[in-house]
């Protein structure tokens, strides 16, 4: 399927895209296909106005308008993000049948790396600026919102139930290496999952949810360093692929879990430094950090790899690769325990550092 998509996108030459360019106030000189996958294609446009990226996505136009509106909101609030270029009529995106186009400036810079601590600190400061700049967002008329706020309990219950079902499957084949390792760990992960679910009844979660709904704050759908770069000494966003209305804790949990998975173990000192960097830009209360601790306690990483394994989502992964990644995730989830037990002292460290910086 990807080869077919690539061939179709490659065949969409300058002449084929003329109808798209006619809607924009630019004068293209050349067009180069950069990438096509997952229903998304990108072209580099060299124009008299400078280099730009044209992105085509197969997505509901109302959903894309919601994302493009958020991009425009962030841009106008001063976030360092690639400049979105509206059509000549002022539209933020262009609908073309079953797909949508976005045009924005092409940025050049240094790759942002997970293994570079200074890069990660810049990324966390950017995330703080992102959440701060997102506040007050009023989606364009006719757009379709994506929201996860208020749905955490439902998500937790669904993931817990899936683990319970996966446990029954593993128990039927206890001699299998994956099943043996999974059975060794699953009860511990289920215990943490049920504890996290109960903690969502605490007042801090409800208060933050209500405040976030009022403020209009949003998160990235899946926060990743691949969409950022270092330019002029700071992290900048190359493009905005998706957003969801949710608590900022979601992005923080995803970033921290991704980094620690790459390190193969939970590094508390690094986590403190990164949260301190975030808090220096977008301070959180102790109640809000307690919600983050709850989301970090929930075994999202463990649930995710079990989901991939039992649904056969990683066709290219053999048994050895699954086992390797499973052991890595177990290491991260289990080594996180000490961090989760130290909210009070860690909160003090975060705030002491934020006051200095």
């Amino acid at each position: 399927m990807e080869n077919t998509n690539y061939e179709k996108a490659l065949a969409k030459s300058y002449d084929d895209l003329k109808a798209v360019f006619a809607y924009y106030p630019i004068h293209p000189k050349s067009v180069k296909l950069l990438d096509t996958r997952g229903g998304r294609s990108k072209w580099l446009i060299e124009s008299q106005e400078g280099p730009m990226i044209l992105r085509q996505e197969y997505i509901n136009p109302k959903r894309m308008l919601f994302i493009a509106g958020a991009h425009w909101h962030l841009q106008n609030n001063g976030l360092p993000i690639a400049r979105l270029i509206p059509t000549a009529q002022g539209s933020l995106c262009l609908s073309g049948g079953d797909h949508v186009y976005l045009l924005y400036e092409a940025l050049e810079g240094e790759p942002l790396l997970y293994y570079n601590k200074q890069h990660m600190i810049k990324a966390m400061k950017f995330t703080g600026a992102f959440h701060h700049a997102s506040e007050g967002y009023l989606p364009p008329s006719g757009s379709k919102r994506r929201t996860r706020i208020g749905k955490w309990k439902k998500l937790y219950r669904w993931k817990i139930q899936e683990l319970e079902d996966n446990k029954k499957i593993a128990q039927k084949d206890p001699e299998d290496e994956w099943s043996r390792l999974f059975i060794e760990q699953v009860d511990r992960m289920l215990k943490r999952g049920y504890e996290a679910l109960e903690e969502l009844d605490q007042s801090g979660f409800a208060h933050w949810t209500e405040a976030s709904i009022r403020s209009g704050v949003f998160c990235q759908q899946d926060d990743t360093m691949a969409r950022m770069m270092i330019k002029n000494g700071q992290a900048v966003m190359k493009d905005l692929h998706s957003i969801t209305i949710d608590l900022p804790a979601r992005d923080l949990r995803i970033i921290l879990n991704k980094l620690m998975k790459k390190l193969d173990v939970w590094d508390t000192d690094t986590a403190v430094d990164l949260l301190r960097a975030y808090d220096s830009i977008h301070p959180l209360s102790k109640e809000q950090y307690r919600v983050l601790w709850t989301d970090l306690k929930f075994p999202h990483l463990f649930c995710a790899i079990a989901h991939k394994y039992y649904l056969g989502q990683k066709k290219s992964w053999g048994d050895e690769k699954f086992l390797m990644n499973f052991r890595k995730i177990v290491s991260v989830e289990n080594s996180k325990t000490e961090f989760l037990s130290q909210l009070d002292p860690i909160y003090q460290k975060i705030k002491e550092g934020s006051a200095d910086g």
Side-chain angles (χ1 to χ4, degrees):
M1 180 61 73
E2 282 200 6
N3 286 339
T4 301
N5 288 339
Y6 184 82
E7 290 165 2
K8 287 180 179 178
L10 192 59
K12 197 177 280 289
S13 65
Y14 173 79
D15 288 337
D16 296 319
L17 291 172
K18 273 186 177 179
V20 176
F21 297 140
Y23 286 92
Y24 287 96
I26 65 170
H27 302 85
K29 295 188 291 186
S30 66
V31 178
K32 178 184 178 182
L33 179 64
L34 295 178
D35 182 45
T36 182
R37 57 180 171 176
R40 180 184 295 128
S41 298
K42 288 183 181 181
W43 292 269
L44 174 64
I45 314 301
E46 295 294 347
S47 74
Q48 293 180 17
E49 295 76 15
M52 301 177 186
I53 299 293
L54 179 68
R55 191 169 97 212
Q56 178 198 61
E57 289 199 38
Y58 289 88
I59 186 174
N60 184 327
K62 292 182 179 180
R63 182 76 75 195
M64 180 53 78
L65 182 57
F66 177 63
I67 298 167
H71 189 142
W72 190 251
H73 176 81
L74 294 170
Q75 177 177 321
N76 290 337
N77 279 354
L79 188 77
I81 186 172
R83 181 172 55 91
L84 185 66
I85 301 165
T87 68
Q89 299 300 318
S91 299
L92 300 179
C93 55
L94 183 65
S95 177
D98 59 352
H99 49 265
V100 183
Y101 293 96
L102 285 178
L103 185 68
Y104 47 91
E105 67 177 329
L107 299 178
E108 293 185 1
E110 179 185 353
L112 200 152
L113 306 174
Y114 282 99
Y115 297 107
N116 185 315
K117 187 173 180 178
Q118 291 307 310
H119 282 198
M120 289 304 302
I121 286 175
K122 292 178 188 295
M124 290 295 275
K125 287 185 175 182
F126 176 90
T127 302
F130 182 102
H131 292 154
H132 181 73
S134 75
E135 294 176 358
Y137 177 44
L138 297 174
S141 176
S143 64
K144 186 175 182 180
R145 298 197 329 158
R146 180 188 291 274
T147 179
R148 289 178 180 264
I149 202 162
K151 299 178 181 179
W152 283 32
K153 285 186 178 181
K154 182 179 180 180
L155 178 65
Y156 280 21
R157 289 192 188 103
W158 180 84
K159 290 187 175 185
I160 287 170
Q161 184 58 57
E162 188 175 53
L163 276 189
E164 295 278 17
D165 293 341
N166 292 338
K167 176 182 175 181
K168 293 175 183 176
I169 295 172
Q171 287 173 332
K172 292 178 181 178
D173 190 12
E175 300 304 314
D176 172 69
E177 181 66 5
W178 167 278
S179 297
R180 184 183 66 78
L181 293 174
F182 184 81
I183 291 169
E184 282 180 4
Q185 302 294 330
V186 68
D187 285 339
R188 183 182 297 111
M189 296 300 131
L190 281 167
K191 181 175 182 292
R192 277 195 10 206
Y194 282 117
E195 288 175 354
L197 179 61
E198 287 185 9
E199 289 176 11
L200 292 184
D201 288 327
Q202 295 175 359
S203 61
F205 178 69
H207 291 162
W208 200 4
T209 296
E210 292 165 4
S212 296
I213 291 172
R214 290 195 304 270
S215 72
V217 67
F218 55 79
C219 300
Q220 295 190 58
Q221 184 69 8
D222 181 17
D223 206 340
T224 173
M225 302 303 102
R227 297 184 189 126
M228 289 191 278
M229 63 173 62
I230 302 293
K231 184 176 176 66
N232 299 326
Q234 67 173 343
V236 300
M237 181 165 277
K238 297 184 288 185
D239 56 7
L240 182 66
H241 282 195
S242 188
I243 66 159
T244 184
I245 305 296
D246 205 348
L247 304 182
R250 171 188 170 85
D251 281 344
L252 296 178
R253 181 259 297 172
I254 289 173
I255 292 172
L256 290 173
N257 274 348
K258 281 186 177 180
L259 172 62
M260 300 308 172
K261 187 169 70 169
K262 292 181 182 296
L263 297 178
D264 296 347
V265 67
W266 188 271
D267 185 329
T268 293
D269 290 340
T270 296
V272 170
D273 289 341
L274 297 184
L275 289 172
R276 182 183 293 138
Y278 174 90
D279 199 86
S280 70
I281 306 298
H282 192 245
L284 300 181
S285 68
K286 190 171 183 179
E287 270 195 338
Q288 291 169 333
Y289 275 110
R290 195 177 301 280
V291 173
L292 172 60
W293 254 241
T294 293
D295 206 27
L296 287 169
K297 174 183 285 189
F298 192 89
H300 289 284
L301 292 174
F302 189 88
C303 291
I305 194 165
H307 181 80
K308 290 185 179 78
Y309 180 81
Y310 285 105
L311 267 68
Q313 290 188 334
K314 288 289 187 180
K315 303 295 184 184
S316 62
W317 285 17
D319 289 345
E320 285 303 314
K321 188 163 185 178
F322 261 115
L323 287 169
M324 179 187 71
N325 280 278
F326 183 73
R327 290 188 179 100
K328 181 184 295 189
I329 283 170
V330 166
S331 172
V332 172
E333 291 284 21
N334 287 337
S335 61
K336 192 190 294 183
T337 303
E338 183 179 358
F339 171 86
L340 293 172
S341 69
Q342 299 184 69
L343 173 59
D344 288 347
I346 288 177
Y347 177 74
Q348 291 300 321
K349 289 181 180 178
I350 290 170
K351 290 301 181 180
E352 289 167 4
S354 297
D356 295 337

